[in-house]
Amino acid sequence: MLKYIVKRILFMAPLLLGITIICFFVMHLTPGSPADLQTQMNPKASAQMKERLQALYELDKPIHIQYWSWLKKISRGDLGVSFSSDHRPVADKIMERFPITILINFLSLLIIIAVAIPIGALSAVHQDSLFDKIAGVFVFIGFAIPTFWLALLLMIFFGINLGWLPISGLRSLNYEYLTPWAQIVDLAKHLILPVFISSFGGLAGLSRYMRANMLEVIRQDYIMTARAKGLSERDVIYKHALRNALLPAITILGLSIPGLIGGSVIFETIFAIPGMGQLFYMAVMARDYPTIMGILLIGAILTLVGNLIADVSYAVADPRIRVS
Amino acid sequence: MNFWDALYRNKLMLAGSGLVLLLLFVSLLAPWLAPYDPGQIDLTKALVSPSMKHLFGTDQLGRDVLSRMIWGARISLKVGFVATGVAIIIGTILGAVAGYYGGWVDSVIMRFVDIMLCFPTFFLILAVIAFLEPSIWNIMIIIGLTGWMGVTRLVRADFISLRERDFVKAAKAIGAGDLRIIFLHILPNAMASILVAATLGVAGAILTESALSFLGIGVQPPTPSWGNILTAGKDNIDIAWWLSLYPGLAILITVVGYNLLGEGIRDLLDPRLKK
């Protein structure tokens, strides 16, 4: 088992390297530079100043040398200094926003698992029932609905018409003066819509996948064997079938992580949540290369670790994978 | 699957093709269908709620929302088709080469696919489009360049099973070259899954474009797109619900249409699903 994990981790390294190379080159080869953006609005900025900025950001060197120096810094755990006017270390900027994005994505994953798996399994067990058909429609709309639009509608309905939920930020204005318990309630209220929105897309995908798996498992011989030896229908479904259908669903969860992380740009912008997605959006607008690279790197690592956890838990659950 | 199920399935597909045709019709006839000029600004009529005169209301500059949505259908369709075209061409070529030749060529291409699948792709699209001037052509091409991986996997899988068939051996025996075998003999047999991927791809591209336009880095105003009308909806969320409701509904209906059509084609072409 340990050997398998080590092998997987070793396989991650070149993948990560490939991702950073593509990102770095794509970013630096697109026309224009951060120095342009900072000087073109300023009539006092001379051509020399622009050159000085280029040199300060090391943008005057050939791109492969820039990449190499970025890589060297990364290997020391240094993400560099932001190009934006605050000139703070990128690692600090990301770390203060990291927890909230992770919290929202983690809650979304929990909701996806808790809701999608029962829906998928029940739809399959009661194939063509009313429940299956309603779930089918729900899944179909889930695939087609633009989540940012759903967010707008929910904001209008729950935030403006009913006034039940706050529609932006993480804290109310009077947060400081609330009791600790009221602070938690306040935070939770601010999180309801963002978490719901970010889990919505994943719900459809996983429940449909779960349904397909379950349908396939139910037709297997060992399910017939279980029935033939007189087990109750409940035992057959929930002890024999469900466990086998759950296995492949684990990998799908791993694959859904890039989507979740990408989605955080959208919902953090809509709900004005000070997370990594919002930071990325601001960094992109300001051409803040070090911050962009830092977030892309962390996003890629999260994705790879998610895949690793999925594959390892798959291997733990299914001995056939380990052996081969 | 019995006769009624088949009919039910086909009815959904019929509905899907109906929606797709309707959209084609609307975007082709936009200049004649739109009741007003989509760019006509009239500040005295800003944010008028829906009425008989303006069925879907007006936006913050007094432009007719229905007319802007009708013109927006053109943009969505254009983005959907061109982006998917780019993705299908790249995906088909890479998948065909990987599946046909196998060996190290296959390994290199498939590792590249793995890398691309690990990306939070949306982040990359966002960065690149924000850096280039956000124009509709850039958007279409970038969405295509980041969406070919699924097609590559599909086409490769088809090629791996098809290349062992007798008709390929026969073509080789009469001396056909690799290119000829790939494009004239094997590819036509893989067209079914490519067609399905393309239909579903159009839906995905339209969704991505609308999200980008909504964030302000997609189609730029004054060019109307469903996504950028929604941005205005967000800015006026407490007063003008109609700016948020209708364009999103249009996106939803379009995507549902293409998805229904794609799945319908898949069911028709894949005999394994007709149990």
Side-chain angles (χ1 to χ4, degrees):
Chain A
M1 192 63 222
L2 196 68
K3 212 173 128 195
Y4 175 80
I5 296 177
V6 170
K7 211 173 88 187
R8 283 300 318 255
I9 291 178
L10 287 180
F11 180 69
M12 272 167 64
L15 218 53
L16 203 56
L17 202 67
I19 293 176
T20 60
I21 289 177
I22 294 177
C23 290
F24 199 88
F25 278 70
V26 162
M27 233 165 36
H28 285 254
L29 291 179
T30 46
S33 102
D36 289 344
L37 214 63
Q38 291 181 12
T39 51
Q40 71 193 5
M41 290 298 171
N42 185 350
K44 285 186 201 151
S46 62
Q48 281 157 318
M49 240 171 109
K50 199 176 137 190
E51 267 167 39
R52 274 219 301 279
L53 269 176
Q54 293 269 36
L56 176 70
Y57 295 154
E58 295 187 345
L59 294 171
D60 49 349
K61 296 185 180 140
I63 181 166
H64 56 277
I65 293 178
Q66 288 182 45
Y67 178 73
W68 182 240
S69 93
W70 180 80
L71 207 59
K72 271 196 300 201
K73 270 195 219 153
I74 289 296
S75 63
R76 292 196 305 265
D78 178 8
L79 287 173
V81 175
S82 165
F83 283 0
S84 71
S85 51
D86 57 5
H87 294 293
R88 291 175 56 208
V90 170
D92 292 358
K93 286 181 95 161
I94 293 179
M95 274 323 288
E96 67 191 21
R97 286 160 173 273
F98 188 69
I100 188 65
T101 301
I102 292 300
L103 176 68
I104 292 177
N105 280 324
F106 181 72
L107 290 174
S108 309
L109 263 182
L110 282 185
I111 290 179
I112 292 174
I113 294 172
V115 177
I117 287 176
I119 288 183
L122 283 175
S123 302
V125 173
H126 307 285
Q127 196 185 0
D128 293 329
S129 67
L130 184 66
F131 177 81
D132 183 28
K133 282 183 178 138
I134 293 174
V137 171
F138 161 77
V139 164
F140 209 86
I141 292 179
F143 270 118
I145 206 164
T147 43
F148 59 92
W149 178 59
L150 187 65
L152 284 181
L153 292 187
L154 294 179
M155 281 160 91
I156 291 177
F157 189 66
F158 290 107
I160 291 162
N161 290 356
L162 295 175
W164 289 354
L165 295 171
I167 59 172
S168 83
L170 276 179
R171 285 164 189 175
S172 302
L173 289 173
N174 60 352
Y175 185 81
E176 305 282 316
Y177 307 107
L178 295 173
T179 59
W181 173 244
Q183 284 184 338
I184 293 175
V185 173
D186 186 57
L187 190 68
K189 269 180 149 180
H190 280 86
L191 282 177
I192 290 176
L193 287 181
V195 169
F196 178 77
I197 291 300
S198 83
S199 53
F200 198 78
L203 276 181
L206 186 66
S207 58
R208 162 188 268 203
Y209 193 75
M210 190 64 204
R211 178 178 183 272
N213 279 339
M214 196 73 178
L215 281 178
E216 201 160 316
V217 168
I218 288 176
R219 297 206 180 95
Q220 298 292 322
D221 288 344
Y222 56 80
I223 295 298
M224 205 187 286
T225 311
R227 286 211 175 98
K229 71 181 182 187
L231 288 183
S232 71
E233 191 61 21
R234 240 180 85 176
D235 279 0
V236 172
I237 299 294
Y238 294 102
K239 285 201 175 148
H240 292 246
L242 189 61
R243 285 190 187 180
N244 283 291
L246 270 175
L247 276 177
I250 300 175
T251 23
I252 279 291
L253 269 181
L255 283 175
S256 72
I257 292 176
L260 274 179
I261 296 174
S264 43
V265 179
I266 299 179
F267 71 75
E268 284 177 11
T269 312
I270 298 178
F271 292 107
I273 290 172
M276 255 181 13
Q278 199 193 42
L279 178 67
F280 187 77
Y281 184 74
M282 295 190 303
V284 157
M285 288 306 174
R287 274 199 176 234
D288 185 352
Y289 289 159
T291 309
I292 297 173
M293 279 309 291
I295 296 175
L296 280 172
L297 182 70
I298 288 176
I301 291 175
L302 283 178
T303 307
L304 289 175
V305 170
N307 282 342
L308 179 73
I309 294 174
D311 285 356
V312 168
S313 38
Y314 199 121
V316 169
D318 190 343
R320 282 169 300 184
I321 307 277
R322 253 175 298 168
V323 176
S324 60
Chain B
M1 192 178 276
N2 66 32
F3 173 73
W4 291 109
D5 275 356
L7 194 69
Y8 173 70
R9 274 273 167 196
N10 278 331
K11 254 199 310 206
L12 285 179
M13 186 183 158
L14 219 61
S17 18
L19 287 175
V20 168
L21 281 176
L22 179 74
L23 279 155
L24 270 174
F25 178 76
V26 167
S27 46
L28 283 176
L29 298 181
W32 294 279
L33 285 177
Y36 295 87
D37 175 357
Q40 193 185 29
I41 293 173
D42 182 354
L43 289 175
T44 59
K45 284 195 210 130
L47 296 176
V48 172
S49 54
S51 63
M52 281 317 285
K53 232 175 138 200
H54 295 277
L55 277 181
F56 289 177
T58 63
D59 68 2
Q60 74 282 12
L61 298 174
R63 295 173 295 194
D64 182 54
V65 173
L66 177 62
S67 306
R68 290 185 71 70
M69 278 174 58
I70 289 173
W71 282 87
R74 265 196 180 184
I75 301 287
S76 290
L77 226 59
K78 207 161 138 188
V79 173
F81 277 99
V82 178
T84 308
V86 172
I88 293 285
I89 290 171
I90 300 176
T92 304
I93 292 175
L94 287 181
V97 169
Y100 184 75
Y101 291 105
W104 67 268
V105 180
D106 182 37
S107 310
V108 170
I109 292 177
M110 291 328 280
R111 282 299 82 73
F112 189 49
V113 168
D114 285 343
I115 292 179
M116 290 296 290
L117 281 175
C118 277
F119 260 81
T121 338
F122 192 73
F123 274 30
L124 191 72
I125 298 182
L126 205 71
V128 174
I129 293 186
F131 287 1
L132 301 169
E133 291 299 297
S135 83
I136 180 166
W137 283 100
N138 287 338
I139 294 160
M140 295 190 284
I141 290 167
I142 307 284
I143 294 177
L145 284 179
T146 48
W148 48 269
M149 293 83 77
V151 185
T152 306
R153 285 191 158 175
L154 274 177
V155 173
R156 172 180 175 265
D158 276 3
F159 267 67
I160 286 177
S161 71
L162 288 168
R163 73 172 176 210
E164 308 296 341
R165 296 275 192 84
D166 285 342
F167 70 86
V168 176
K169 284 179 193 149
K172 270 187 189 151
I174 58 170
D178 282 351
L179 278 181
R180 193 181 171 82
I181 294 177
I182 289 176
F183 288 105
L184 289 180
H185 293 269
I186 305 184
L187 194 58
N189 289 290
M191 275 325 265
S193 41
I194 296 176
L195 187 67
V196 174
T199 317
L200 299 176
V202 172
I206 289 177
L207 271 179
T208 309
E209 179 272 322
S210 66
L212 288 171
S213 298
F214 176 70
L215 289 176
I217 49 172
V219 177
Q220 297 296 304
T223 308
S225 97
W226 295 338
N228 68 29
I229 304 174
L230 283 169
T231 315
K234 187 196 162 222
D235 294 340
N236 301 292
I237 191 166
D238 42 355
I239 32 180
W241 54 268
W242 57 91
L243 280 177
S244 294
L245 181 64
Y246 297 119
L249 210 55
I251 301 171
L252 176 66
I253 290 172
T254 310
V255 175
V256 163
Y258 279 96
N259 282 348
L260 282 176
L261 184 62
E263 301 212 341
I265 299 174
R266 173 159 47 204
D267 286 3
L268 272 185
L269 296 176
D270 191 348
R272 275 170 302 176
L273 288 172
K274 291 181 191 151
K275 289 203 185 73

